[in-house]
Amino acid sequence: MQTHAHDMTRRRLGEGLASLALAVAAGGIAPLPAAAQSSTPEAGQQPTGHDMSVTPPHWIGKEQIAFLIYPDFTALDMIGPHYMLTNLMGAKTHIVAKTKDPVKSDTGLVFVPSASFEDCPADLDILCVPGGTLGTLTAIRDEATIRFLKDRGSRAKFVTSVCTGSLVLAAAGLLDGYKATSHWLTKALLSKFGAIPTEGRVVRDRNRITGGGVTAGLDFGLGLVGELRDRNYAEGVQLLAEYDPQPPFNAGSPEKAPPEVKSMMDAMFVEFLKTAEATVLAARTAKP
Amino acid sequence: MQTHAHDMTRRRLGEGLASLALAVAAGGIAPLPAAAQSSTPEAGQQPTGHDMSVTPPHWIGKEQIAFLIYPDFTALDMIGPHYMLTNLMGAKTHIVAKTKDPVKSDTGLVFVPSASFEDCPADLDILCVPGGTLGTLTAIRDEATIRFLKDRGSRAKFVTSVCTGSLVLAAAGLLDGYKATSHWLTKALLSKFGAIPTEGRVVRDRNRITGGGVTAGLDFGLGLVGELRDRNYAEGVQLLAEYDPQPPFNAGSPEKAPPEVKSMMDAMFVEFLKTAEATVLAARTAKP
């Protein structure tokens, strides 16, 4: 991760820094100065142009990050960590689908992928799989999708998921023998797929990191930013995201939700869970 | 909001329920049964087919919801409330841009809008404007965008924003005399645009609801679900989203962040704030 900060900045800054990316590239917002160190503008520069050579070199990386998307995936599963991880200066993020055709999420959002399975870099630093419901099971039944995950997952520095994305990882055999989590509804199922269901909103075991349902992706993504840079850097990203959550209700986990609310959710997913189990098991026993 | 639940369900269920939408429509997941009331399947139905006539009628609405998107908007500003609000059974959500051409967010996500300004329903229940940085200022300079917001905002039941989206509302004169908030970096600016900067992660004044930076959209959206349905319904959505946040750091507000981290962010945005002020003021004094 030690790079020539100055060169990296000129070349790559526009690819990181989330909402700042294009703003910084366009010269309208000053790039990240060093923490607790005043910037020293070079003579002749724009007044907004900090001398980025004061940025700690380890703040600038070159990660290759890929998010898998597929029809009827849950967009927030992906966008939460995507926001956090695209704030990694120097990182390059890919939205990867089977083809480059537009992909519709389960809430009707239509995304244009940036890469197909063929275009996706062979060696990834982070591979992340978002979840969903029936769409996720359809993805699991797709041989090309499983083949892609087995390949990239065999070499990725971090193999990760949010929500029921862990079912897809499990279907590809990528959680065998690993502690993991999933959406609370599907977490117990993991034990049938070679994984070890484990307490925690974000569960890490060696290079596997799995998040709980939907919004857990924010906590997963921010934690990974802290690991890949440092605490100050992640705190800056958290402040930029104004991630100081104040949910108006207190029902965000099966333990906290009123029993009748949990029962309602359980009732809705009875058939889904049966289908999910059968689908993942079938994928795991299919010929490679 | 009183509707014939049974009819509404058959026609509209696939349009709501976020990650459940297509799953339910496809018969794989049982739709929301009534809380604290067992479902009574009709004879001859699929085992997964609850009799939706037991769903409380007030749980099924017909809201028309529009999210504005524009080049370099911050996707998470939009996706947070979008997730929550698409869980409103019966609601119809539109992703509206100037044209139907793909729109790239500030983190490089490419969205295909579902409607142009011309296609967007004339009368909206919820109009929501996400924020961004320089892209937001470019949107403010665009006459067609301001004209669209003035028109739809004059009749919308709720006029809302997340993050610096409140600058766009202010530029369109939609916050004159209203208490409001914005991203913490831009909140104080609101007082120069006829609005009253007010404490709170989500600020409501009559039919204006403005959220703080980026992730505040989750709290805004979930709160609005509670208002438009009821507490149990919103708790169900919160549990589905597993919205039980556990940020790995504690720097999500200017008060909580370490001073050197806040100083770093302040330094990055000095020029942006100047440009933002001038841009919004110019839009407010432009001829209609």
Side-chain angles (χ1 to χ4, degrees):
Chain A
M1 220 64 85
Q2 293 296 324
T3 58
H4 295 286
H6 198 82
D7 289 349
M8 290 298 294
T9 302
R10 301 291 170 225
R11 260 185 296 127
R12 290 182 174 271
L13 196 62
E15 297 168 3
L17 276 179
S19 55
L20 302 179
L22 295 165
V24 171
I29 295 174
L32 272 178
Q37 180 176 356
S38 59
S39 58
T40 43
E42 289 173 16
Q45 277 197 319
Q46 295 293 317
T48 55
H50 286 266
D51 176 1
M52 283 296 295
S53 63
V54 302
T55 298
H58 73 278
W59 278 15
I60 302 177
K62 52 181 181 181
E63 291 90 353
Q64 294 283 341
I65 305 172
F67 290 90
L68 175 72
I69 67 172
Y70 50 84
D72 302 334
F73 79 108
T74 297
L76 185 52
D77 289 8
M78 183 267 278
I79 308 267
H82 185 270
Y83 177 91
M84 301 299 179
L85 295 171
T86 50
N87 266 302
L88 292 170
M89 277 196 286
K92 173 91 178 159
T93 305
H94 310 272
I95 304 297
V96 184
K98 192 170 179 177
T99 72
K100 282 188 173 172
D101 292 340
V103 173
K104 190 182 250 187
S105 82
D106 62 0
T107 55
L109 292 168
V110 179
F111 293 83
V112 181
S114 65
S116 67
F117 290 168
E118 284 72 30
D119 299 335
C120 179
D123 294 297
L124 296 170
D125 291 275
I126 304 171
L127 171 64
C128 184
V129 180
T133 49
L134 291 188
T136 307
L137 304 189
T138 302
I140 287 171
R141 288 185 202 104
D142 183 68
E143 280 180 33
T145 298
I146 297 297
R147 202 179 318 124
F148 169 79
L149 291 174
K150 282 183 174 173
D151 176 72
R152 298 311 195 274
S154 70
R155 294 183 306 277
K157 189 168 168 191
F158 291 103
V159 176
T160 73
S161 66
V162 175
C163 197
T164 54
S166 57
L167 300 184
V168 190
L169 293 184
L174 291 166
L175 294 180
D176 285 11
Y178 287 87
K179 295 177 187 171
T181 192
S182 189
H183 192 288
W184 63 268
L185 274 158
T186 46
K187 186 173 140 185
L189 276 185
L190 289 176
S191 65
K192 308 196 175 197
F193 313 141
I196 305 154
T198 302
E199 283 301 300
R201 186 159 170 85
V202 179
V203 171
R204 176 161 179 187
D205 184 358
R206 287 157 282 170
N207 78 333
R208 266 56 167 178
I209 312 177
T210 49
V214 194
T215 54
L218 292 162
D219 300 323
F220 149 64
L222 185 57
L224 194 48
V225 167
E227 167 154 347
L228 293 172
R229 297 298 183 264
D230 61 25
R231 183 182 184 104
N232 260 187
Y233 193 101
E235 287 170 331
V237 173
Q238 184 178 10
L239 183 55
L240 186 66
E242 208 164 332
Y243 188 39
D244 179 29
Q246 298 169 26
F249 308 103
N250 186 27
S253 73
E255 297 75 28
K256 292 177 179 173
E260 68 270 25
V261 170
K262 174 162 188 301
S263 300
M264 178 171 76
M265 283 294 141
D266 283 334
M268 289 174 67
F269 284 91
V270 170
E271 290 301 316
F272 172 75
L273 290 180
K274 286 183 198 166
T275 309
E277 180 176 344
T279 303
V280 178
L281 287 176
R284 286 172 56 80
T285 52
K287 281 183 296 183
Chain B
M1 220 65 78
Q2 293 295 323
T3 59
H4 297 284
H6 198 81
D7 289 348
M8 290 298 293
T9 302
R10 300 294 170 224
R11 260 185 297 129
R12 289 181 173 272
L13 196 61
E15 297 170 2
L17 275 179
S19 55
L20 302 177
L22 295 166
V24 171
I29 294 174
L32 272 178
Q37 179 177 354
S38 60
S39 59
T40 44
E42 291 174 13
Q45 279 195 317
Q46 296 293 316
T48 56
H50 285 267
D51 177 0
M52 283 295 295
S53 63
V54 301
T55 298
H58 74 278
W59 277 16
I60 302 177
K62 52 179 181 182
E63 291 90 354
Q64 294 283 341
I65 304 172
F67 289 90
L68 175 71
I69 68 172
Y70 51 83
D72 300 333
F73 78 108
T74 297
L76 186 52
D77 289 8
M78 183 268 276
I79 308 268
H82 184 270
Y83 177 91
M84 300 297 179
L85 295 171
T86 50
N87 266 302
L88 292 170
M89 275 196 287
K92 172 89 175 160
T93 304
H94 310 273
I95 305 298
V96 184
K98 192 170 179 177
T99 72
K100 282 188 174 173
D101 291 338
V103 173
K104 189 180 248 187
S105 83
D106 61 1
T107 54
L109 292 167
V110 179
F111 293 85
V112 181
S114 66
S116 66
F117 290 168
E118 286 71 33
D119 299 336
C120 179
D123 295 297
L124 296 170
D125 291 273
I126 304 171
L127 171 64
C128 184
V129 180
T133 49
L134 290 187
T136 307
L137 304 188
T138 302
I140 288 171
R141 289 186 200 103
D142 183 68
E143 283 180 30
T145 298
I146 297 297
R147 202 179 318 124
F148 169 78
L149 291 174
K150 283 182 174 173
D151 176 73
R152 298 308 196 278
S154 69
R155 295 183 306 279
K157 190 169 168 191
F158 292 102
V159 176
T160 73
S161 66
V162 175
C163 197
T164 54
S166 56
L167 301 184
V168 190
L169 294 184
L174 290 167
L175 293 181
D176 286 9
Y178 287 87
K179 294 177 187 168
T181 194
S182 189
H183 192 289
W184 63 268
L185 275 158
T186 46
K187 188 172 139 186
L189 275 186
L190 290 176
S191 65
K192 309 196 175 199
F193 313 141
I196 306 155
T198 302
E199 283 301 300
R201 187 161 167 85
V202 180
V203 171
R204 175 160 180 189
D205 184 358
R206 287 158 283 172
N207 77 333
R208 266 56 167 178
I209 312 178
T210 49
V214 193
T215 53
L218 292 161
D219 300 322
F220 149 64
L222 185 57
L224 193 49
V225 167
E227 167 154 347
L228 294 171
R229 297 297 184 264
D230 62 24
R231 183 182 183 103
N232 260 186
Y233 192 100
E235 287 169 333
V237 173
Q238 184 178 10
L239 182 56
L240 187 65
E242 207 163 333
Y243 188 38
D244 180 27
Q246 296 169 26
F249 308 103
N250 185 27
S253 73
E255 297 75 27
K256 292 176 179 172
E260 68 271 23
V261 170
K262 173 159 187 305
S263 300
M264 178 171 75
M265 284 294 142
D266 284 334
M268 289 176 67
F269 284 92
V270 169
E271 292 300 316
F272 172 76
L273 290 180
K274 287 181 197 168
T275 310
E277 180 177 343
T279 303
V280 179
L281 288 176
R284 287 171 57 80
T285 53
K287 283 182 297 185

